[in-house]
Amino acid sequence: MALSLRTWSLHGSASPDRNSGTRAGWWAWFLQRLTGVALVGYLFLHILVISTVQAGEDTFNSVLIVLQKPFFVVLDLLLIAAVVYHGLNGVRVLLFDLGIGLKQQAGMFWICMVLTTIITAVAGYFSLPLIFRN
Amino acid sequence: MAAPLTENQATGVIGFWPWFFQRISGLLLIALLAVHIWMGHFSGLRAVIEGSQEELVLYSIVQQRLAQGLFVFVDFSLLGLVLYHGLNGMRNILLEWPAAARRAQAMTLGLWVLGAATFVYGAWALLAFIL
């Protein structure tokens, strides 16, 4: 409890961002955490899946064939969205550390969201043949 | 329940170097993941759609890629950097929890052990493609 209470009291203040008057800063922070924790979980699964190769080439291939079925291609698109957002927002935070864009924080969050949407949509477009193949 | 830490106390326990290397590893990961995701999901797409290749990722495909020194370097770098970045991020979150912040050293050591063990496990898996 102390964890979430303190986290929310630091980042989830009731008052909107100082410069934009919106809560974009809270959303940027929340999504960074959400994607970060999700990606750590995925990382361990990813390593586990790859390690099936130690049970032999055929085991690895049979696992990988399942994981390239349309359902998992769609999940991969969620993964791409999470990675792209986390990376873009990471750069956004890095720029603030360097003193760049401190007054455009909300605008830069929306740029991250738009770029994440565009990149995921492009990846989705190119993945369509994999999602709808027999 | 213990009194929560002030913001100053919390950023103080994160430390300069973990903060600094989180940014360095993050930047390197952007470049390496772009290569990694491209190779895994998109480079063989045309071959799969045209039917000359069965799947994007199969043992033989990964093995051929890892026959090139560059990709051995990319994959081992990815494994190390992503474990550092991910577990360091978890540490930053956990340090907001006063009970964990008070045992920061033990927790940091625990995360290093987890990261090192996972690196060895992941490297052992990768070696099956290389050796």
Side-chain angles (χ1 to χ4, degrees):
Chain A
M1 274 316 284
L3 172 68
S4 52
L5 284 179
R6 192 189 119 73
T7 298
W8 250 255
S9 70
L10 263 186
H11 301 277
S13 70
S15 56
D17 304 345
R18 199 184 302 154
N19 289 307
S20 68
T22 68
R23 289 195 179 85
W26 184 85
W27 279 104
W29 165 84
F30 175 74
L31 289 174
Q32 192 72 356
R33 278 240 155 142
L34 186 71
T35 53
V37 173
L39 290 171
V40 167
Y42 172 78
L43 169 65
F44 284 96
L45 282 178
H46 190 49
I47 293 173
L48 203 61
V49 163
I50 291 168
S51 74
T52 59
V53 70
Q54 283 288 352
E57 191 179 323
D58 294 339
T59 308
F60 179 80
N61 281 349
S62 57
V63 171
L64 266 288
I65 285 168
V66 172
L67 292 180
Q68 288 169 93
K69 297 220 176 281
F71 174 73
F72 290 101
V73 176
V74 174
L75 284 187
D76 279 347
L77 290 173
L78 276 180
L79 176 68
I80 285 180
V83 169
V84 170
Y85 173 79
H86 195 87
L88 286 172
N89 189 56
V91 170
R92 173 179 167 273
V93 171
L94 184 68
L95 290 174
F96 302 157
D97 286 339
L98 298 172
I100 299 165
L102 288 173
K103 298 208 160 157
Q104 284 84 42
Q105 295 187 28
M108 285 162 74
F109 167 68
W110 290 112
I111 291 173
C112 289
M113 293 302 281
V114 169
L115 285 177
T116 302
T117 307
I118 292 172
I119 292 170
T120 308
V122 170
Y125 173 77
F126 284 109
S127 300
L128 282 177
L130 296 182
I131 296 170
F132 292 103
R133 71 173 166 165
N134 300 312
Chain B
M1 190 186 295
L5 297 172
T6 64
E7 178 153 16
N8 217 13
Q9 282 171 311
T11 46
V13 288
I14 286 172
F16 173 77
W17 290 110
W19 172 86
F20 180 74
F21 285 124
Q22 190 70 350
R23 275 132 187 89
I24 299 295
S25 58
L27 281 177
L28 291 170
L29 281 170
I30 290 175
L32 289 170
L33 280 177
V35 175
H36 182 70
I37 294 174
W38 175 262
M39 296 313 292
H41 292 255
F42 297 99
S43 71
L45 207 52
R46 178 162 297 175
V48 173
I49 293 164
E50 286 170 355
S52 60
Q53 185 180 314
E54 232 177 294
E55 299 283 350
L56 284 169
V57 182
L58 287 173
Y59 178 85
S60 56
I61 298 161
V62 182
Q63 192 193 31
Q64 276 167 34
R65 197 174 298 147
L66 284 173
Q68 298 161 265
L70 175 69
F71 284 106
V72 175
F73 177 75
V74 166
D75 276 14
F76 279 94
S77 306
L78 263 174
L79 180 61
L81 285 168
V82 83
L83 278 168
Y84 177 81
H85 191 86
L87 293 176
N88 197 34
M90 295 306 293
R91 178 177 174 270
N92 291 346
I93 295 175
L94 289 169
L95 283 176
E96 293 185 356
W97 186 18
R102 259 177 241 110
R103 294 169 194 81
Q105 275 193 323
M107 189 189 72
T108 304
L109 180 68
L111 288 171
W112 272 106
V113 170
L114 174 65
T118 312
F119 183 87
V120 169
Y121 182 75
W124 170 71
L126 275 177
L127 285 175
F129 295 102
I130 298 165
L131 299 178

